[in-house]
Amino acid sequence: MTRVMASGVFDIIHTGHISYLEQAKSHGDELIVVVACDNTVRRKKHEPVTPEGMRVRIVDSLKPVDRAVLGKDGDIFDTVREINPDIIVLGFDQHFKEEKLESDLKERGFGNIKVLRATECAEDLAATRRIINKINAMEDKS
């Protein structure tokens, strides 16, 4: 059985998330999704719109997902150790470099975890920032 790990914020679910999770699931038998905790979202992106517990519940209910877990605030390798994936699939816009992450994983004794990158979804509102910007623009007009 091939275990795949994907991760992200999943603040406002959109087609980009669905595409990413479907792509991740296609690489294995089991997809475990790590949902970033609120502290991580605040530190790396923005104030979360949806609380972490709600985001985990929503992601856990999505068809491609076998299990969603809340990420830890800190070392990502602790979460990787707990999940023990065969493959990690990165979102198209996640800041990691595939080769560097594979190298870091090997240095930390994880063996041969394969790191892949999902492709971008071509739809217009396939990103949380785009959705928020559109809502803000609509509010500005009213």
Side-chain angles (χ1 to χ4, degrees):
M1 182 158 102
T2 302
R3 178 175 291 161
V4 179
M5 181 179 121
S7 63
V9 175
F10 305 100
D11 206 6
I12 297 173
I13 297 294
H14 51 72
T15 55
H17 290 130
I18 303 303
S19 174
Y20 169 44
L21 296 174
E22 287 172 343
Q23 289 177 61
K25 178 67 176 197
S26 75
H27 292 289
D29 305 300
E30 179 184 31
L31 175 59
I32 300 175
V33 180
V34 180
V35 178
C37 69
D38 286 347
N39 285 337
T40 297
V41 178
R42 283 184 191 103
R43 192 172 60 255
K44 298 200 175 200
K45 288 202 165 196
H46 54 79
E47 183 63 28
V49 175
T50 310
E52 60 191 25
M54 186 181 279
R55 290 185 285 117
V56 170
R57 184 169 179 223
I58 290 167
V59 171
D60 197 49
S61 72
L62 298 174
K63 187 175 182 179
V65 178
D66 293 296
R67 184 167 47 110
V69 299
L70 183 62
K72 293 177 176 31
D73 188 13
D75 189 353
I76 64 160
F77 298 104
D78 291 339
T79 303
V80 173
R81 187 168 284 103
E82 284 180 17
I83 292 173
N84 192 28
D86 301 293
I87 299 170
I88 295 174
V89 179
L90 302 172
F92 83 93
D93 62 348
Q94 289 179 339
H95 68 278
F96 295 101
K97 301 282 186 226
E98 295 94 320
E99 299 82 15
K100 173 81 168 106
L101 182 54
E102 277 186 359
S103 172
D104 289 348
L105 288 162
K106 283 180 184 163
E107 283 179 19
R108 287 172 171 77
F110 286 99
N112 292 320
I113 297 175
K114 190 173 184 179
V115 179
L116 306 172
R117 179 154 321 261
T119 58
E120 183 175 8
C121 180
E123 296 180 23
D124 181 45
L125 291 177
T128 301
R129 275 286 128 216
R130 291 181 202 153
I131 293 169
I132 290 171
N133 290 341
K134 184 169 184 171
I135 291 168
N136 288 337
M138 291 169 64
E139 287 179 350
D140 291 344
K141 289 180 183 178
S142 53

